[in-house]
Amino acid sequence: YNRPGLYEQLFYRRLKCSSPKKVAKILGEALLANRVEMSELRVLDLGAGNGMFGEQLQSVGTARVVGVDICAEAMTACRRDRPGIYDEYYVADFCDLDSQTRQELEAWRFDCLSCVAALGFGDIPARAFANAFNMVAPSGWVAFNIKDSFLLESDTSGFSRLIKSLLLSDALEIHHMERYRHRISIDGQPLFYYALVGKKLFDIPESIMANLVVD
């Protein structure tokens, strides 16, 4: 993040990461199918980084986009490289939000959560994602991507258990789910992810939240 353009050069040009455009595309298609205007959404972009996905959201005229990342360097890079992408950007830990930050975030009245290329490898703990999910209004939208192995029955990691619980509890109604090539690895092998877009029906139950360990 400290070197302008290095992140894009490595991940998006050399390793051909396609996730921001892919997730934005299927979110747009799901909203169109449900007669929801992108221009009406108030989006919480969790793990916003230097604004790659926020840039996609801004390009389609989303009403409000608020970025959140635990890394202060990410916010600095975003403001340097993509000024004006976010209406606000918070450096915050969603596993341990202070009351002031929580109140400010809740005041935005989010009806969409996005989280792209930031889940399942310890970057964003399962509890942080769950807390962000619960900040979105009922009937709001959720768009994210995860490595394909997280949906295998053999994967028992905390994040894998959370996603499976979301689907089984009907807290998230899936409208589109697609396996695609996220990027290539350093040695040239394709890395496959699932892109998911759905509608939040209700908060993640406390019975599930209680079992999410903060790493």
Side-chain angles (χ1 to χ4, degrees), residues 67-192:
V68 175
D69 204 290
I70 198 171
C71 179
E73 290 82 0
M75 181 181 70
T76 300
C78 181
R79 290 178 171 173
R80 179 194 65 216
D81 300 337
R82 294 178 177 81
I85 288 294
Y86 294 106
D87 293 278
E88 187 58 85
Y89 198 121
Y90 292 87
V91 175
D93 180 356
F94 257 73
C95 288
D96 187 25
L97 281 177
D98 62 78
S99 59
Q100 179 64 34
T101 301
R102 180 179 294 278
Q103 288 175 11
E104 290 183 20
L105 287 167
E106 289 175 345
W108 288 96
R109 296 180 291 114
F110 296 115
D111 51 19
C112 183
L113 169 66
S114 63
C115 192
V116 177
L119 293 175
F121 290 97
D123 295 336
I124 296 179
R127 178 172 285 279
F129 180 80
N131 286 337
F133 183 96
N134 285 353
M135 196 171 282
V136 174
S139 297
W141 292 86
V142 181
F144 63 100
N145 67 337
I146 53 172
K147 191 176 180 182
D148 58 357
S149 63
F150 291 138
L151 294 183
L152 295 176
E153 186 176 351
S154 58
D155 192 323
T156 59
S157 65
F159 193 83
S160 177
R161 295 199 311 273
L162 171 62
I163 296 303
K164 292 168 186 173
S165 296
L166 276 179
L167 302 180
L168 291 174
S169 69
D170 295 326
L172 180 65
E173 177 185 82
I174 295 295
H175 282 244
H176 189 105
M177 180 172 172
E178 181 178 339
R179 188 174 183 264
Y180 70 102
R181 193 188 75 172
H182 164 61
R183 63 173 175 85
I184 59 175
S185 65
I186 294 294
D187 60 0
Q189 299 302 309
L191 300 177
F192 290 98

